[in-house]
Amino acid sequence: AQTVTQSQPEMSVQEAETVTLSCTYDTSESDYYLFWYKQPPSRQMILVIRQEAYKQQNATENRFSVNFQKAAKSFSLKISDSQLGDAAMYFCAYGNPNGGATNKLIFGTGTLLAVQP
Amino acid sequence: DTEVTQTPKHLVMGMTNKKSLKCEQHMGHRAMYWYKQKAKKPPELMFVYSYEKLSINESVPSRFSPECPNSSLLNLHLHALQPEDSALYLCASSQEVKVRNTFGSGTRLTVV
């Protein structure tokens, strides 16, 4: 069974600084997707960034980038130039696109990020 | 229109009440999902509909009854709930049964 582990329950960063959130996962599949979702107090889960396992290049979306280490099964999120609006719960998630009952997201336990002005 | 809309945003119900949660999307997504989320916990999958047919039921108690009247709408009918069912209920949709979910902002349910 696939598992996702986020070992940092809470993190804090100063505004304009850089922070890295950790995520590790376990799977025997070779084809899968990894995601970082953000959930602010407004409650909506917002997709931050997505990585396909077959792509070696790390995904980047503006100030957000990932460090994807497939052999180590590690998928960390780097937030550069942190802004007050980045404060939220961040969930790492694993998905397998190969159909059947495995087509569902498996979430980590989340990291609560605080941004200090 | 790239949104998933959930109503109501808040709901308080007694243990003998019957209520329904509604979810709507107009992105042409053919898979729709219900998740339950407790405070400071990750979402837990409850149900998945694919092409308006129930494809996954994660052993959810029968007091929760999903319904997909058409490809844009998803309902969750609630009856005889328990206080421990109080949670945030999130709806999501995706292009077929693939992994990229677009989420609504949820219904905060309190059972008294």
Side-chain angles (χ1 to χ4, degrees):
Chain A
Q2 294 89 2
T3 59
V4 177
T5 302
Q6 292 179 250
S7 58
Q8 304 154 317
E10 297 184 14
M11 293 280 286
S12 182
V13 63
Q14 291 291 128
E15 201 174 1
E17 297 290 307
T18 296
V19 65
T20 298
L21 308 184
S22 300
C23 174
T24 58
Y25 61 94
D26 190 26
T27 183
S28 58
E29 303 288 340
S30 58
D31 183 20
Y32 52 88
Y33 294 78
L34 296 165
F35 305 86
W36 279 98
Y37 278 92
K38 168 185 176 182
Q39 189 175 36
S42 66
R43 312 178 317 200
Q44 187 167 11
M45 296 280 285
I46 301 165
L47 179 66
V48 174
I49 200 164
R50 157 179 150 149
Q51 175 81 43
E52 290 99 326
Y54 65 88
K55 289 188 177 179
Q56 292 188 343
Q57 187 173 3
N58 290 326
T60 299
E61 288 286 344
N62 300 313
R63 298 182 295 106
F64 298 88
S65 61
V66 298
N67 184 2
F68 173 48
Q69 301 289 328
K70 191 172 184 179
K73 295 180 181 173
S74 171
F75 182 62
S76 61
L77 175 70
K78 185 171 82 171
I79 306 174
S80 303
D81 186 25
S82 297
Q83 300 176 0
L84 294 177
D86 295 332
M89 180 72 89
Y90 285 81
F91 290 102
C92 179
Y94 167 98
N96 186 319
N98 293 328
T102 59
N103 266 9
K104 61 184 184 182
L105 291 176
I106 298 169
F107 288 91
T109 51
T111 297
L112 183 62
L113 178 66
V115 181
Q116 308 298 331
Chain B
D1 190 353
T2 57
E3 287 188 351
V4 175
T5 303
Q6 290 189 243
T7 55
K9 293 195 182 304
H10 302 274
L11 178 63
V12 179
M13 62 184 290
M15 289 188 283
T16 58
N17 291 159
K18 287 185 180 181
K19 297 286 184 183
S20 297
L21 310 185
K22 297 188 184 301
C23 175
E24 188 170 4
Q25 58 88 15
H26 295 288
M27 295 177 281
H29 290 173
R30 301 315 297 266
M32 297 186 75
Y33 310 75
W34 281 115
Y35 288 84
K36 173 183 177 181
Q37 186 180 24
K38 291 283 204 177
K40 297 188 178 181
K41 298 289 187 182
E44 299 173 24
L45 184 67
M46 300 174 72
F47 302 104
V48 181
Y49 273 82
S50 176
Y51 288 86
E52 300 155 50
K53 289 185 170 29
L54 185 64
S55 66
I56 296 178
N57 178 340
E58 292 286 359
S59 302
V60 179
S62 60
R63 57 186 185 268
F64 295 92
S65 175
E67 178 197 20
C68 189
N70 59 56
S71 60
S72 300
L73 293 174
L74 184 66
N75 299 321
L76 186 62
H77 303 298
L78 314 173
H79 174 54
L81 294 193
Q82 303 298 309
E84 60 263 30
D85 297 321
S86 299
L88 179 67
Y89 287 84
L90 292 165
C91 175
S93 69
S94 69
Q95 187 69 23
E96 299 188 346
V97 188
K98 290 184 180 176
V99 295
R100 179 176 180 159
N101 286 192
T102 301
F103 286 84
S105 56
T107 294
R108 176 77 64 192
L109 174 68
T110 303
V111 181
V112 297

